Amino acid sequence: MREKKARVNKNVKVDPVKNFKKWKKRYDKTKKQTTRPKKKREWEVERENIKKLVDKYSEINPKEAVKFSDFPLSKNTLKGLLEAQYRQPTEIQRHTIGFALQGKDVLGAAKTGSGKTLAFLIPVLECLYRHQWTAVDGLGALIISPTRELAYQTFEVLRKVGKNHEFSAGLVIGGKDLNDESVKIHRTNIVICTPGRLLQHMDENSSFSASDLHMLVLDEADRILDMGFADTLNAIIENLPKSRQTLLFSATQTKSVKDLARLSLKDPEYVWVHEKAKFSTPATLEQSYVVCELHQKVNVLFSFLRSHVQKKIIVFFACCKEVQYLFRVFCRMRPGISVLALHGKQPQLKRVDVYNDFVRKKAAVLFATDIAARGLDFPAVNWVLQFDCPEDANTYIHRVGRTARYKEGGEALLLLLPSEEQAMISQLQEKKVPLSKIQVNPDKLVSVQSKLEAFLAQEKEQKERAQRCFVSYLRSVYLMKNKDVFDVFQLQLPAYAMSLGLAMAPRVRFLDKAQKQQVGAAPETSATPDQDSDQELQSFKAQLGGERPSSQSEEEEEADVDEEENEGVPKGLLHSAEEDEDDDLKDLLMVKRRDVFNINDDEQDEEQDAKPKNKKESKMKEVKKVLKRNFKVNTKKVFTEDGEAVQEWPPLQRTPEDEDEDAGETSGIDVEAARERLRREDQEFDKKEYSKRVKEKHREKRLKEKAARREASKRAKEEKQKAAGGDDEDEDEEVVAYLSGADDEGFDPSTLPDPDKMRDSEDQDEDSSNGPELARSKRTRSSEDEDDGHGAVQRKKAKQLSSQAEPLDTGLSLAEDEELVLHLLGGRS
Ligand code: ADP
Ligand code: MG
């Protein structure tokens, strides 16, 4: 009997699968009896939620999306939106969010103040959520803004709506310590930046990598894509993976195929929500213009402010020097409303202060250049006044767009010179801007000329500023491309100078020359043999004629230039204007001061009489002369218009109010000291720029050498592999690049395999057998990563590790495996 049994047993074929199944059944039964059903792990739940959301992407119908919760958005995003009081999507949000969630490239255009920011921030958050992005995954989304203030504002909105997510976000704009940013940036998931600063990181910061980037957003896209940023943007794009998703937003969207080709968009979705609208500006915006002479503009502005002291107003000017000068004198004149100024020559901290101040204030006027023209969402602005004619209709649309935002009302007033009226108005009409002509009541017009004259008589530094304001304004008009609107020769210069408080018009040499050439006179060669000036003039002319003076250095310089350097300058002429007064151009445009106040002794005359061989020499001479004077700091002479010294040391007492006005700048009224200080600032700036460029060159060289070494070692490895008949070429290639990179630099702990990433990779494998939709998106990510190497390196590392361990395939899921192991271990102990 026993024998028989044994025989039977021998004949039974043991099926390991069946056996295992039986065993598992038994195990499950005992497990059920002994343990309570275990909760799913957080990441598992999240993965299931993501899958459910992604499954709904194809069903999104913008017309039916009334609330944000009608979109398949993560709980964290919906919570953030609700907490920030955003419940219903605006039109542009309804029409773009769906496409963006589906991973499409989007070009979104909608009027100013219509909610474009959330239209890209929501997809950014969802994209990283979908990929279960963590701090160690580095940069996942990049948002580029044309100005620091706009980047800062977007950052604040992101912080608000994204606060329930765990992604890290960073603001990368100029004006802060680069090293400080560099330390943090490689752990930042969402970077909001200005183009110049981003490129600086790409070039100088070796730990910065954009190779895993999933999403690129260009806010104010047409501005980022225009000539001013062209080279910077091209260089940035070279550093980004091609497989990314790209979103472009603006109120005046680019339709240029060339621009879009630069960004390698893939079948983009064009969403123009207001394309068929009657007007291109908000319906709640009332717009008008007045025609007035140039010399009346300051009076009109002062009178306007006096009659709107309870309002919040932004006044746009053509250039920084105008803002600087008029801000100071308006503060002095006490128009009855607090006056603030925002322009690109301010230190960064001051800019942030001014921005926040203006956000908070209920009634105030902000004097600004076009750095405030785009995107800024100051709450409850009542008026936008354009003191100087905008460069084109698009700039007009963006400037007036600072008021009448998101269902609110607003008013806009444009001051036009008689010579500007016709061409500008027809341009605006063409762009569907509705505005009506109004008149200034002459009885209400207050003249401030005598007040300004008095200020200038008291303070020579102000006089200097007034002169700079005068020249800068003329230069900005002269450089404008559209000659139908801007004709510098139509301007009444003496009257304009007097309206600024100057006794007479400073002589502007570039205008003199241009005028002579215009009337066909032979160029002045003997009187002012100033070669550099001539060259500058020629180069301007070349540009005005549409040619660019070709030079490699120009291109190099452009990369260093932050957006603010471009303000007050026509877009087509950014190269020359970047240098502003900070370089030799200054001399070309320098005011020939007349000795109105009789303060300049022989030295001044000497200066004027001498015919310097070249500009550099004269500049040096001037500096030496100033140094020779050996003046003491804060020692000063004050003269009346008659040239009488009325007060010497100690300096005039300044009221605290005056101090306030000049906050952030040194006070002092010694004209030479002021001039010297300005010159020194310029020199220091140049020095810094120079050493920055040298550093860049060195770094470029190092990077090139490093790349060459990598390339060589990669090739060697490939050949070795081919000889060995290796079949996994792609992945090994990347590992080689990775390893050799580590060799070059010595041991770097950050190159160690990242446990989180490895888990990700394992999860990915698991996904491909489990969730169809999610697995697809994960697989897309993997294939996207092939271009850049980094993701593939991580995958490879995970694979290597798993193959070393040779895990037993139990046919269970990872979670069940873990349970089993724990159970077995528990049983043993
Ligand atoms: P744009 O970029 O189109 O000029 P913004 O994104 O700056 O406009 O938004 C303009 C204003 O509208 C902001 O104050 C913003 O808070 C508000 N806003 C945007 N979307 C919504 C929404 N869905 N619900 C309520 N307010 C919104
Ligand atoms: Mg915007």
Side-chain angles (χ1 to χ4, degrees):
M1 182 72 183
R2 216 178 285 152
E3 260 185 353
K4 201 179 172 188
K5 209 176 186 180
R7 222 184 303 138
V8 173
N9 278 348
K10 244 186 194 175
N11 288 339
V12 173
K13 247 188 167 182
V14 181
D15 179 349
V17 177
K18 248 188 188 170
N19 211 13
F20 178 75
K21 276 186 180 163
K22 251 193 217 165
W23 177 85
K24 187 169 180 294
K25 219 174 170 182
R26 261 206 320 266
Y27 163 73
D28 284 347
K29 211 174 156 188
T30 42
K31 192 182 145 201
K32 252 187 203 164
Q33 285 163 356
T34 53
T35 56
R36 273 182 289 142
K38 203 136 193 219
K39 258 177 89 180
K40 279 187 184 161
R41 275 146 203 274
E42 222 174 278
W43 61 265
E44 280 182 302
V45 177
E46 195 170 290
R47 183 149 300 171
E48 278 172 17
N49 289 341
I50 292 172
K51 185 188 167 314
K52 278 185 208 152
L53 290 177
V54 173
D55 285 344
K56 287 186 199 155
Y57 280 1
S58 55
E59 299 158 17
I60 296 173
N61 182 355
K63 283 177 194 143
E64 283 171 12
V66 180
K67 297 179 269 92
F68 278 115
S69 52
D70 294 334
F71 284 107
L73 300 177
S74 64
K75 279 196 183 117
N76 286 344
T77 302
L78 285 175
K79 198 164 166 235
L81 287 168
L82 213 66
E83 283 166 352
Q85 310 297 325
Y86 296 124
R87 287 161 216 280
Q88 297 186 325
T90 63
E91 215 177 337
I92 183 74
Q93 291 159 6
R94 272 195 292 128
H95 285 91
T96 52
I97 288 176
F99 288 135
L101 289 178
Q102 288 160 7
K104 294 185 175 156
D105 287 346
V106 177
L107 276 111
K111 290 180 188 182
T112 50
S114 59
K116 294 183 285 293
T117 316
L118 286 182
F120 59 76
L121 286 185
I122 293 172
V124 162
L125 289 170
E126 291 303 285
C127 170
L128 298 193
Y129 169 74
R130 227 168 30 236
H131 288 98
Q132 294 185 285
W133 212 253
T134 65
V136 288
D137 292 311
L139 182 64
L142 190 60
I143 300 167
I144 305 183
S145 291
T147 64
R148 295 175 187 179
E149 282 72 19
L150 183 55
Y152 174 69
Q153 182 184 287
T154 308
F155 180 69
E156 291 297 310
V157 180
L158 176 67
R159 282 218 315 203
K160 227 170 27 176
V161 296
K163 69 176 184 194
N164 299 306
H165 285 282
E166 278 173 19
F167 315 128
S168 53
L171 190 60
V172 174
I173 54 180
K176 289 199 288 177
D177 183 26
L178 188 78
N179 292 335
D180 208 37
E181 274 178 5
S182 302
V183 175
K184 295 173 196 150
I185 199 168
H186 71 280
R187 289 210 152 236
T188 308
N189 303 143
I190 305 169
V191 165
I192 302 179
C193 59
T194 49
R197 187 58 154 201
L198 175 66
L199 188 62
Q200 206 179 351
H201 275 287
M202 286 177 159
D203 288 348
E204 289 180 31
N205 175 3
S206 53
S207 63
F208 182 80
S209 161
S211 54
D212 278 344
L213 187 85
H214 280 275
M215 200 181 261
L216 169 70
V217 179
L218 304 190
D219 192 12
E220 304 296 338
D222 56 326
R223 175 74 185 104
I224 304 271
L225 286 163
D226 80 24
M227 268 185 70
F229 291 118
D231 293 343
T232 312
L233 190 73
N234 289 345
I236 289 171
I237 289 169
E238 268 176 34
N239 285 296
L240 305 180
K242 281 213 163 60
S243 51
R244 64 173 193 264
Q245 181 184 4
T246 307
L247 310 181
L248 309 184
F249 282 90
S250 182
T252 49
Q253 189 60 278
T254 180
K255 291 179 188 167
S256 147
V257 177
K258 224 164 92 192
D259 280 342
L260 306 181
R262 276 162 71 203
L263 290 167
S264 337
L265 300 186
K266 294 172 287 293
D267 299 328
E269 294 291 343
Y270 294 80
V271 182
W272 257 259
V273 291
H274 301 126
E275 199 175 21
K276 297 208 169 77
K278 197 169 167 204
F279 301 120
S280 56
T281 43
T284 49
L285 176 66
E286 247 180 68
Q287 303 168 74
S288 45
Y289 74 97
V290 293
V291 176
C292 71
E293 294 293 344
L294 182 57
H295 64 269
Q296 287 292 7
K297 277 187 7 177
V298 178
N299 295 337
V300 171
L301 175 60
F302 187 79
S303 314
F304 178 89
L305 294 183
R306 284 296 291 269
S307 54
H308 292 86
V309 289
Q310 300 295 337
K311 304 284 181 189
K312 199 160 171 177
I313 305 160
I314 303 181
V315 183
F316 284 103
F317 295 89
C319 54
C320 295
K321 303 288 176 210
E322 260 188 306
V323 174
Q324 281 176 325
Y325 173 62
L326 291 173
F327 163 67
R328 278 181 174 75
V329 290
F330 267 70
C331 285
R332 289 277 169 107
M333 290 190 294
R334 301 167 192 267
I337 180 171
S338 47
V339 188
L340 302 168
L342 188 68
H343 57 83
K345 300 256 184 276
Q346 282 166 323
Q348 180 55 25
L349 284 179
K350 177 88 186 156
R351 283 173 66 166
V352 175
D353 276 356
V354 170
Y355 173 89
N356 285 324
D357 234 20
F358 193 63
V359 166
R360 278 193 298 264
K361 284 205 153 94
K362 290 233 153 37
V365 55
L366 178 72
F367 285 11
T369 57
D370 278 330
I371 61 166
R374 280 186 178 250
L376 297 188
D377 186 49
F378 293 116
V381 172
N382 306 104
W383 276 93
V384 166
L385 194 155
Q386 303 191 50
F387 185 85
D388 294 319
C389 181
E391 184 190 350
D392 51 28
N394 280 354
T395 308
Y396 175 95
I397 290 170
H398 288 283
R399 282 175 169 189
V400 297
R402 295 319 98 214
T403 183
R405 299 178 66 72
Y406 189 69
K407 298 182 182 171
E408 283 186 9
E411 290 181 77
L413 178 66
L414 167 67
L415 305 192
L416 286 177
L417 305 179
S419 58
E420 292 165 344
E421 184 184 2
Q422 202 194 357
M424 194 65 211
I425 294 300
S426 68
Q427 238 193 82
L428 291 172
Q429 277 166 353
E430 230 170 81
K431 278 268 175 178
K432 301 198 289 186
V433 176
L435 78 178
S436 50
K437 186 172 180 174
I438 57 169
Q439 311 274 335
V440 176
N441 180 355
D443 298 338
K444 298 263 167 162
L445 204 61
V446 184
S447 172
V448 291
Q449 192 176 322
S450 53
K451 276 188 186 172
L452 298 183
E453 281 167 6
F455 292 148
L456 299 202
Q458 279 167 16
E459 291 196 21
K460 302 302 170 287
E461 195 179 349
Q462 296 300 15
K463 189 186 148 205
E464 184 106 346
R465 286 188 199 283
Q467 287 169 330
R468 280 173 174 253
C469 163
F470 178 92
V471 175
S472 285
Y473 172 71
L474 295 186
R475 190 191 55 223
S476 78
V477 175
Y478 181 59
L479 293 178
M480 288 290 186
K481 228 178 188 171
N482 188 343
K483 294 294 152 200
D484 293 339
V485 180
F486 301 98
D487 184 355
V488 75
F489 301 112
Q490 298 263 344
L491 306 179
Q492 304 293 317
L493 301 192
Y496 172 51
M498 280 161 79
S499 77
L500 295 177
L502 291 163
M504 55 181 74
R507 190 174 152 205
V508 185
R509 290 196 316 191
F510 80 91
L511 272 189
D512 290 352
K513 286 190 176 185
Q515 201 151 24
K516 271 180 195 154
Q517 287 184 7
Q518 211 187 36
V519 294
E524 191 181 279
T525 46
S526 54
T528 49
D530 190 335
Q531 272 185 8
D532 287 2
S533 305
D534 279 339
Q535 275 167 12
E536 285 291 351
L537 195 63
Q538 291 312 324
S539 105
F540 280 146
K541 285 187 167 294
Q543 290 175 52
L544 289 167
E547 296 163 32
R548 281 177 42 147
S550 67
S551 109
Q552 177 60 33
S553 66
E554 266 181 3
E555 277 171 30
E556 282 168 7
E557 275 171 27
E558 195 176 55
D560 299 331
V561 175
D562 214 333
E563 71 288 354
E564 289 80 15
E565 304 286 332
N566 301 339
E567 63 180 316
V569 173
K571 286 173 218 149
L573 298 164
L574 286 160
H575 291 278
S576 53
E578 277 159 11
E579 288 144 26
D580 210 341
E581 276 95 2
D582 294 335
D583 63 7
D584 289 347
L585 182 58
K586 180 178 65 184
D587 283 354
L588 171 74
L589 304 172
M590 224 166 78
V591 183
K592 273 216 161 182
R593 241 165 275 100
R594 306 208 174 137
D595 202 1
V596 183
F597 296 98
N598 200 19
I599 54 166
N600 296 315
D601 44 25
D602 309 337
E603 288 165 20
Q604 176 84 31
D605 298 334
E606 251 174 51
E607 247 174 67
Q608 284 185 354
D609 292 341
K611 287 170 188 163
K613 262 189 191 157
N614 63 45
K615 199 171 19 164
K616 273 182 189 128
E617 197 185 308
S618 70
K619 208 172 174 182
M620 275 312 290
K621 258 189 196 170
E622 221 177 308
V623 173
K624 274 182 194 161
K625 260 186 235 162
V626 172
L627 289 176
K628 254 197 257 168
R629 283 186 198 132
N630 198 20
F631 56 79
K632 285 183 196 140
V633 179
N634 285 339
T635 307
K636 62 182 192 285
K637 294 176 188 171
V638 180
F639 293 86
T640 64
E641 267 196 72
D642 303 318
E644 274 175 28
V646 289
Q647 189 184 336
E648 286 190 1
W649 184 263
L652 282 173
Q653 284 294 313
R654 309 188 81 212
T655 63
E657 206 175 276
D658 297 343
E659 305 281 352
D660 265 351
E661 288 164 27
D662 286 354
E665 314 221 357
T666 327
S667 62
I669 55 173
D670 184 320
V671 67
E672 289 304 339
R675 200 193 308 163
E676 174 58 13
R677 182 169 55 77
L678 291 168
R679 200 171 289 134
R680 259 201 318 269
E681 276 173 14
D682 292 349
Q683 279 174 352
E684 263 165 38
F685 177 81
D686 288 348
K687 237 198 248 168
K688 270 190 207 154
E689 283 297 293
Y690 177 72
S691 79
K692 209 163 89 184
R693 248 167 253 157
V694 169
K695 265 192 212 158
E696 249 166 49
K697 285 249 158 68
H698 287 169
R699 182 169 155 65
E700 232 169 69
K701 203 174 147 198
R702 264 186 287 127
L703 284 175
K704 268 185 201 157
E705 284 169 4
K706 203 167 140 187
R709 277 204 302 276
R710 275 188 194 172
E711 193 56 36
S713 99
K714 201 159 95 180
R715 250 181 276 128
K717 190 92 180 184
E718 260 173 37
E719 272 161 26
K720 213 168 135 190
Q721 213 176 41
K722 268 182 201 154
D727 55 0
D728 200 356
E729 263 184 44
D730 275 354
E731 293 191 348
D732 276 353
E733 233 178 73
E734 283 152 1
V735 172
V736 170
Y738 171 74
L739 291 176
S740 65
D743 281 347
D744 280 347
E745 303 284 302
F747 177 69
D748 173 4
S750 67
T751 58
L752 283 171
D754 187 320
D756 276 3
K757 288 232 172 172
M758 279 164 37
R759 196 193 62 201
D760 258 358
S761 308
E762 284 162 10
D763 292 347
Q764 258 169 283
D765 290 343
E766 191 192 327
D767 285 337
S768 24
S769 59
N770 287 349
E773 193 58 48
L774 185 62
R776 197 161 357 119
S777 78
K778 283 280 182 188
R779 254 183 261 122
T780 321
R781 181 182 166 195
S782 309
S783 63
E784 280 167 13
D785 286 343
E786 271 166 33
D787 283 341
D788 55 71
H790 183 69
V793 169
Q794 299 292 352
R795 285 199 306 282
K796 179 68 185 173
K797 276 184 287 180
K799 220 173 173 185
Q800 273 179 340
L801 241 96
S802 58
S803 70
Q804 277 161 22
E806 288 184 3
L808 184 72
D809 188 3
T810 56
L812 302 177
S813 75
L814 189 66
E816 285 167 335
D817 263 345
E818 279 177 27
E819 286 291 333
L820 178 58
V821 170
L822 286 173
H823 184 78
L824 291 174
L825 285 173
R828 251 184 238 165
S829 60

